[in-house]
């Protein structure tokens, strides 16, 4: 049985990872640091944290594996710099701290098109976090790259919701990599990769998640 850390548990994909991990007999405990409290559960440890000031020596960093589904939008974050903190700096710091305390597997919710050479800031940020995670030294690293994510969001994201609707209509005509990926499928792949901890760096493209 394993101890799993989940960052991003209050989000769409993270919420599915949380439910699946709590129900999985292979998981002894889920450590989910968040800004807002989660619904209590016997298997859940939910430290409330400020990601700008993570407690470096907390005991709860001692886990076997980490799933990261942190992320924001430039609109919500307010600037590219603020977005970069959430999608790059915080995941990297979590990765370092958990690795320092013994974690051996890390699974990241990245995105289709992640590329350090991209002209698109979002895709470049995802490329940079993928690159920088590889330098942290996890024996097992999984980079999951969904296209559009499908699922029920509380926050209104009109452009994204429109794109999801159009993609769903065009689904039969679209190549598999451009189809909407249900959030629970992404969660399944993240969780199982983190638990399996297969040595090496593994990239799961969008079409592999369907
Ligand atoms: N939307 C898409 O179609 C799409 C496509 C491909 C890849 N992705 C990527 O997939 C990942 C997960 O997406 P999602 O839709 O599940 O995200 P989401 O529902 O927006 O959830 C994001 C998570 O990040 C946390 N977070 C945001 N800002 C934070 C901050 N300043 N400090 C600490 N935590 C913060 C949120 O916590 P709070 O509840 O505290 O805000 C939440 O737990 C993201 O990295 C996203 O870029 C998204």
């Amino acid at each position: 049985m394993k101890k799993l850390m989940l960052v991003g548990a209050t989000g769409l994909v993270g919420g599915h990872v949380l439910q699946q991990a709590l129900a999985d007999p292979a998981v002894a405990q889920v450590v989910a640091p968040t800004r807002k409290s989660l619904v209590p559960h016997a298997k859940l440890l939910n430290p409330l944290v400020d990601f700008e000031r993570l407690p470096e020596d907390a005991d709860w960093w001692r886990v076997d594996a980490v799933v990261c589904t942190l992320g924001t939008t430039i609109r919500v974050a307010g600037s590219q710099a603020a977005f970069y903190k959430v999608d790059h700096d915080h995941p990297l710091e979590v990765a370092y701290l958990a690795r320092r305390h013994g974690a051996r597997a890390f699974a990241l919710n990245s995105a289709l098109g992640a590329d350090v050479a991209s002209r698109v800031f979002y895709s470049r940020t995802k490329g940079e976090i993928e690159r920088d995670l590889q330098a942290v030294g996890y024996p097992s690293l999984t980079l999951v790259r969904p296209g559009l994510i499908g699922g029920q969001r509380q926050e209104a994201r009109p452009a994204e919701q429109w794109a999801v609707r159009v993609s769903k209509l065009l689904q039969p005509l679209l190549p598999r990599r451009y189809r909407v990926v249900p959030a629970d499928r992404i969660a399944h792949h993240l969780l199982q990769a983190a638990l399996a901890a297969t040595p090496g760096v593994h990239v799961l493209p969008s079409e592999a998640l369907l």
Side-chain angles (χ1 to χ4, degrees):
M1 294 239 286
K2 292 195 169 175
K3 260 194 183 184
L4 178 85
M5 175 168 288
L6 168 63
V7 282
T10 54
L12 176 56
V13 177
H16 284 284
V17 176
L18 180 62
Q19 292 317 315
Q20 292 177 21
L22 292 175
D24 193 326
V27 177
Q29 188 178 40
V30 181
V31 179
T34 54
R35 303 192 288 184
K36 308 165 196 151
S37 299
L38 296 165
V39 176
H41 185 286
K43 268 167 71 169
L44 176 65
L45 181 65
N46 179 213
L48 291 184
V49 296
D50 174 353
F51 281 81
E52 301 279 343
R53 287 171 207 78
L54 286 169
E56 294 187 8
D57 294 319
D59 265 356
W60 46 256
W61 289 110
R62 279 174 227 293
V63 294
D64 298 291
V66 182
V67 171
C68 176
T69 62
L70 278 188
T72 186
T73 58
I74 294 170
R75 187 181 61 79
V76 170
S79 66
Q80 287 192 341
F83 167 85
Y84 196 84
K85 270 195 176 179
V86 179
D87 279 63
H88 176 277
D89 298 353
H90 296 340
L92 191 60
E93 192 177 3
V94 166
Y96 270 116
L97 290 171
R99 179 73 192 114
R100 214 170 77 194
H101 286 81
R104 299 186 56 78
F106 193 98
L108 174 76
N109 192 156
S110 181
L112 176 77
D115 182 356
V116 286
S118 176
R119 289 184 185 188
V120 179
F121 178 73
Y122 176 84
S123 302
R124 204 163 63 243
T125 302
K126 294 298 190 189
E128 289 180 6
I129 181 59
E130 288 193 355
R131 176 199 62 199
D132 295 344
L133 282 174
Q134 293 185 50
V136 180
Y138 276 88
S140 172
L141 174 64
T142 302
L143 308 168
V144 173
R145 293 183 178 162
L148 278 172
I149 300 177
Q152 288 298 321
R153 270 181 204 290
Q154 280 160 5
E155 177 199 335
R157 294 187 186 174
E160 187 179 306
Q161 280 154 356
W162 180 84
V164 167
R165 241 178 276 132
V166 171
S167 295
K168 279 188 172 164
L169 278 175
L170 297 177
Q171 194 96 309
L173 307 172
L174 286 176
R176 283 173 65 80
R177 67 181 327 216
Y178 296 117
R179 294 186 188 168
V180 175
V181 189
D184 62 334
R185 294 298 305 153
I186 302 167
H188 169 81
H189 286 283
L190 287 165
L191 176 61
Q192 293 313 317
L195 295 178
T198 307
V201 178
H202 314 279
V203 176
L204 296 189
S206 205
E207 61 271 28
L209 306 172
L210 292 164

